[in-house]
Amino acid sequence: MTTSPDLLPLRLQLAPMSVAATMPQPIVRKASQAEMAPFAWQQTHLCQQVLHPGEPSEIVVQLENRCDRTLRIRLETEGTFPLDWCRIGQEGQTLPPGSKMEAVLYFQLPEDFFEAESSPAFIQTQGLDFRGRLCVYFGTVDTETSEATGGLTLETAEFLLFVRPRSLYPTFLPDIYKEVDFIGRFLHIFEQAFEPAVQTLDTLWAYLDPLTAPETMLPFLAHWVGWQLASELPLSRQRSLIRQAIQLYQWRGTRKGLRLYLHLYTGLPLEEFVPEDQKQISIQDSFNRGLVLGEACLGQESTVGGGKPFHFSVCLRSQQPLSESLIHKIIQQEKPAFCTYDLCLESS
């Protein structure tokens, strides 16, 4: 004699947290009698959940106490799937009369499920469709002593798990083709081949920015803007120089261009609002033109042989040691060809 579901002291129901637009069709695999015997139920009206590797999935367990006694509850899962895929989240162990409670079955597959070395053998023997059962053991509890007053009763609910790769291509198909699970799995083969190239195009801006581009792209980007890479410079400085190359070209031959180049190389601040002789990157011009016939008065505003026209001085004050030869190279590259200069390196 069977008990009517309406008369059971505990009502149990499973509900998937996310429902797929199209439930997969079971992949037929020849199973042994030992595998099929404990799970010989019909697949109709069962809770079905699609599992994607690397993505969490949840099934909500709804419990309702229909009797007039407090119930102590213990949840366990069993099935043809690896049990380490599932964790049970339960708020409490007791359920008062007439009250409801929810628990959660958390499913998490390894992100490299299909790429792992052991996956081909596992899929060949276990397949991609799994049967599971939630076992709920419950018994009445004395509210005063909190002790069990009788034996445990078992209530079960079955569910199906379908392991499928996440596929984007079926979203571009008409709805009639989305209903066929095989098409999604078939298109996923092409998606694995083409999607890396598509993702590269989506992030192409990052490959063209010297600050975010891979190191192997820097020679190409430097050649693109006509910039000569300096192997003695740190990688971060080279990225900044390549990114600012066009601006350096625009200001080449000026004090601003030379100061910007030295700032990018040394990391010293620009200090726009500091007197020139106090800056860590100090560039001072010498306006003494010496003796110019027809413009100067001897003995008053000119000297013979003491002037250096078109001359400037560069002084760098840094706590870190700087390469004097490289700084000379930078100044020679940035200054006008007819100018002369003096270089001074000070330790601040």
Side-chain angles (χ1 to χ4, degrees), residues 147-193:
E147 296 181 357
T149 58
L152 294 178
T153 305
L154 173 63
E155 179 68 17
T156 62
E158 295 79 22
F159 55 88
L160 298 176
L161 300 177
F162 302 97
V163 179
R164 298 293 186 269
R166 172 68 72 180
S167 182
L168 301 176
Y169 285 10
T171 58
F172 302 102
L173 299 178
D175 292 340
I176 188 173
Y177 294 106
K178 297 179 184 179
E179 299 175 359
V180 183
D181 178 54
F182 170 76
I183 293 180
R185 291 185 280 113
F186 178 72
L187 291 179
H188 187 69
I189 300 174
F190 300 94
E191 183 179 346
Q192 287 182 311

Side-chain angles (χ1 to χ4, degrees), residues 57 59 77 83-89 104-108:
S57 300
I59 294 179
T77 58
L83 297 182
D84 58 352
W85 287 1
C86 179
R87 293 185 300 107
I88 300 177
V104 181
L105 303 181
Y106 298 97
F107 294 93
Q108 181 77 48

